[in-house]
């Protein structure tokens, strides 16, 4: 597998576009995006488990479940189309219809995503005009992929996209991905908005299985603020234009494809964690030696979700007590007296805690090791062979500033 | 029931003291406190459910369970005596022994509480000297109660104490209480440190039952930051010196006593929520019309625990979408399309959401109503007759500042 330039348009037959439709009158940012495949693609999707689901989430769940095929995705920022009742659902359907009309494709094969403020209705006149603009701008260039990757952002500070080249059954395949997400990030399924395209030919049921499995230890292990959004969606479109033999069973080709998909999900998930609202660093917690995978995941996630741990990471404070405390209230049974905690970064490695007690570590050295923009806390439990990593960020003044002011 | 001046020394036979022993070399704050009853008292206690329990918590749990009687409580701040292994437990035992010696009482009837930084050992020389000072200063005055209430504080901005006068079986009784807690506050049992004294005569098993029940909808409904501490403890001492007929069954006297205890727990819990680290306002969520008490509690707590809701409260932003979102990921099944949300404060009442959709409320009016130092969000579900209230605070720059710098 090779990382290449580009994003969602890297696979054969995919086009994209991003435009400013003007949904937020006060912003000059691009606010609508479209992804299109020349031939209909098998589609897999994972969606928020929040009971309060936005209208486009409810709509897309039906498309993935019933149609299993899609040819276009249309996205708007600014308004989440959540808590908008029957009118909200009608507007999601209309977005799909308008897109199908503009592209001359089957309206049942259009997916719709929205992100932004909860509770407000979509400005359908602006959306209608935006869709026309998008359809006219669709292109397979890297620039078009970048336009789309920028147009889906909200409080994110940078675009999040990448592309991979890989081989399946002797054929060269490509995979492209983009995502957005910075606040209200504590996915319980997929997360925020993520879009992955590939020209690899994969049967829909295996496509869905691969996505579901890859998401568990990537997007689902990310947390910025513990708030699971109403709009979380990850969509994966596979149009088969690489002309590899269609993957319909869990053979070597499937394993290859799934490994590439996992890399893609991991890359995008880490991008989101590191660009958490107000964050200054990506903070990862790896729990090793747990008695079960569930334990390892729950412990790792409890650590990166703790506000106190996150503040300590911001302050470069080697506050291992808060890490042990966060593990203690995770609900997982473990033996604190056997836990070791080590911090790792590009500046070095330091063991802060051994068998549940503080080591005699140097505070100055710990502060130095906590300084880079990526830090990992490794917890070793000696209870079993399971491990898991969770991806988070520090909690800063700017998180509060962004969320005291921004109507999300 | 009447609110009176004073704190833990209000009931007959109780004395208290607070001193500066010098546990934190960099601080000039009082850092040790003692509460003493002239005759041994029935004792009830509730403790953190965090798996990582501090040594004094483990010690006190045994005293309450085995002895059921106590005559003194000694408290230190600065060092939590958590994650300190066998030595930590020995130090907790020694604190009890030194206190018993200084007061000439049974060492098995001394309770020990610590709060402060996790992972460090108690400076036993300083503790020993502090205990001697405390024993020499014990007094039944209001000033002594205040000294103790101040000495137990850490990042709290003000003391938290009160006293009540009430009648049981024709006898005048008193109840006094004090507590501390500002960060690492998300109790799952009791909370932080809370001390309640009374001269009302109550059998130990009923005392424990009353405390456990009162805690469920007071201390256990408070959250500052979602972090359940390793040291949470609430202790209740009843010395019987009011000479009422000993309460040994759930009669009218018990109901009277329990109602007063509930008021005490509620008062102290609200004090903690409103003085959350960096908080500018007490934020309460009341969920009405829930299908069960558990649902009402889980929903109310999910609202006040959400970082995004807390930031919105800080920004006086009528962001009802975040409230619905937080309810949606609480794990409780409810019908979002039937939920109403109203904000109430001394500035008025405003309905933000009706049947799951935004009302056409005035933003200016909402900002005005969100401005006072106490705000309640009332959520009505129309699913049943159960209600619950949770107590939290806003999330501010100062929370981050305090916790990026403070080694808790």
């Amino acid at each position: 597998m090779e990382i290449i330039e580009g994003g969602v348009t890297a696979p054969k037959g995919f086009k994209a576009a991003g435009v400013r439709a003007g949904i937020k009158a006060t912003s000059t940012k691009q606010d609508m995006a479209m992804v299109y495949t020349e031939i209909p693609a098998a589609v897999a999707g994972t969606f928020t488990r929040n009971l309060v689901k936005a209208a486009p989430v409810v709509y897309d769940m039906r498309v993935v479940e019933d149609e299993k095929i899609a040819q276009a995705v249309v996205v708007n920022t600014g308004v989440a189309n959540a808590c908008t009742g029957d009118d909200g659902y009608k507007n999601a359907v209309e977005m799909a219809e308008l897109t199908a009309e503009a592209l001359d494709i089957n309206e049942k094969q259009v997916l719709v995503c929205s992100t932004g403020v909860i509770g407000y209705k979509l400005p359908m006149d602006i959306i209608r005009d935006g869709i026309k603009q998008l359809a006219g701008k669709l292109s397979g260039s890297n620039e078009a992929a970048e336009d789309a990757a920028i147009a889906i952002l909200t409080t994110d500070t940078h675009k999040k996209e990448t592309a991979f080249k890989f081989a399946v059954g002797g054929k060269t395949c490509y995979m492209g991905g983009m995502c957005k997400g910075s606040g209200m990030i504590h996915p319980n399924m997929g997360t925020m908005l993520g879009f992955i395209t590939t020209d690899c030919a994969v049967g829909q049921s295996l496509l869905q299985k691969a996505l579901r499995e890859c998401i568990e230890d990537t997007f689902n292990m990310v947390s910025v603020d513990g708030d699971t959004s109403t709009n979380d969606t990850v969509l994966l479109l596979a149009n088969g234009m690489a002309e590899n033999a269609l993957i319909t069973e869990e053979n070597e080709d499937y394993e290859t494809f799934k490994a590439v998909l996992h890399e893609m999900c991991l890359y995008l998930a880490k991008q989101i964690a590191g660009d958490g609202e107000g964050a200054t660093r990506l903070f990862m917690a790896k729990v090793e030696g747990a008695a079960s995978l569930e334990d390892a995941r729950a412990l790792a996630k409890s650590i990166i979700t703790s506000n106190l741990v996150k503040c300590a990471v911001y302050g470069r404070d080697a506050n291992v007590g808060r890490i042990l405390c966060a593990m203690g209230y995770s609900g997982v049974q473990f033996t604190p007296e056997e836990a070791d905690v080590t911090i790792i970064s590009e500046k070095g490695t330091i063991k802060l805690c051994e068998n549940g007690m503080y080591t005699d570590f140097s505070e100055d050295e710990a502060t130095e090791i906590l300084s880079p923009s990526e830090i990992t806390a490794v917890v070793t439990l000696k209870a079993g062979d399971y491990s898991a990593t969770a991806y988070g960020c520090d909690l800063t003044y700017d998180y509060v500033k962004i969320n005291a002011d921004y109507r999300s």
Side-chain angles (χ1 to χ4, degrees), chain A residues 31-208:
Chain A
D31 52 15
M32 286 192 74
M34 192 177 279
V35 178
Y36 167 78
T37 160
E38 290 172 10
I39 62 170
V43 62
T46 56
F47 304 92
T48 186
R49 288 193 190 127
N50 193 314
L51 190 72
V52 180
K53 288 179 172 63
V57 168
V58 176
Y59 181 79
D60 287 358
M61 288 173 81
R62 291 190 190 169
V63 172
V64 172
E65 180 86 6
D66 297 344
E67 306 295 327
K68 303 185 198 304
I69 280 174
Q71 196 163 0
V73 186
V74 60
V75 190
N76 75 274
T77 68
V79 173
N81 195 11
C83 303
T84 45
D86 292 341
D87 286 352
Y89 191 78
K90 279 179 200 151
N91 285 340
V93 173
E94 192 182 344
M95 264 182 87
E97 288 169 351
L98 290 167
T99 302
E101 195 180 316
L103 298 172
D104 194 22
I105 61 174
N106 184 340
E107 68 188 42
K108 290 188 175 165
Q109 296 174 7
V110 177
L111 294 152
V112 177
C113 294
S114 300
T115 176
V117 188
I118 297 172
Y120 294 95
K121 289 186 181 159
L122 289 173
M124 289 309 294
D125 283 350
I126 293 169
I127 296 280
R128 184 174 297 116
D129 182 58
I131 288 170
K132 277 185 199 153
Q133 284 188 57
L134 286 165
K137 275 192 71 179
L138 281 176
S139 154
S141 68
N142 284 353
E143 291 69 30
E146 188 179 11
D147 282 348
I150 290 170
I152 62 174
L153 306 178
T154 54
T155 54
D156 309 62
T157 66
H158 57 76
K159 69 181 172 87
K160 303 171 177 68
E161 65 168 353
T162 192
F164 300 152
K165 182 177 174 180
F166 59 107
V168 167
K171 297 286 181 182
T172 300
C173 298
Y174 295 90
M175 184 180 287
M178 65 176 184
C179 65
K180 63 83 49 177
S182 191
M184 204 176 268
I185 298 293
H186 183 83
N188 184 5
M189 106 24 270
T191 184
M192 26 82 271
L193 301 183
F195 305 97
I196 302 168
T197 55
T198 184
D199 47 17
C200 186
V202 187
Q204 196 272 339
S205 62
L206 277 187
L207 198 69
Q208 181 69 40

Side-chain angles (χ1 to χ4, degrees), chain A residues 112-301:
Chain A
V112 177
C113 294
S114 300
T115 176
V117 188
I118 297 172
Y120 294 95
K121 289 186 181 159
L122 289 173
M124 289 309 294
D125 283 350
I126 293 169
I127 296 280
R128 184 174 297 116
D129 182 58
I131 288 170
K132 277 185 199 153
Q133 284 188 57
L134 286 165
K137 275 192 71 179
L138 281 176
S139 154
S141 68
N142 284 353
E143 291 69 30
E146 188 179 11
D147 282 348
I150 290 170
I152 62 174
L153 306 178
T154 54
T155 54
D156 309 62
T157 66
H158 57 76
K159 69 181 172 87
K160 303 171 177 68
E161 65 168 353
T162 192
F164 300 152
K165 182 177 174 180
F166 59 107
V168 167
K171 297 286 181 182
T172 300
C173 298
Y174 295 90
M175 184 180 287
M178 65 176 184
C179 65
K180 63 83 49 177
S182 191
M184 204 176 268
I185 298 293
H186 183 83
N188 184 5
M189 106 24 270
T191 184
M192 26 82 271
L193 301 183
F195 305 97
I196 302 168
T197 55
T198 184
D199 47 17
C200 186
V202 187
Q204 196 272 339
S205 62
L206 277 187
L207 198 69
Q208 181 69 40
K209 182 169 194 284
L211 180 63
R212 198 181 314 111
E213 290 177 6
C214 287
I215 278 198
E216 284 304 323
D217 60 351
T218 57
F219 289 116
N220 276 2
M221 292 300 284
V222 169
S223 184
V224 168
D225 51 15
D227 278 274
T228 303
S229 159
T230 49
N231 288 53
D232 291 343
T233 300
V234 176
L235 296 171
L236 164 60
L237 286 91
N239 69 6
M241 287 178 75
E243 298 187 334
N244 59 300
L246 182 70
I247 302 172
T248 55
E249 53 188 76
E250 296 182 38
N251 53 18
E252 196 184 324
D253 287 356
Y254 175 76
E255 293 307 326
T256 302
F257 172 77
K258 193 177 151 187
V260 175
L261 180 62
H262 190 272
E263 280 303 302
M264 177 60 76
C265 290
L266 188 60
Y267 175 86
L268 296 175
K270 285 172 75 168
Q271 286 285 307
I272 286 175
D275 193 30
E277 283 176 346
T280 66
R281 45 184 68 96
L282 171 64
F283 172 60
M284 293 170 281
K286 181 172 190 183
V287 173
E288 299 178 331
S292 72
L293 183 59
E294 293 65 39
D295 283 4
R297 284 178 176 165
L299 287 165
K301 212 157 174 181

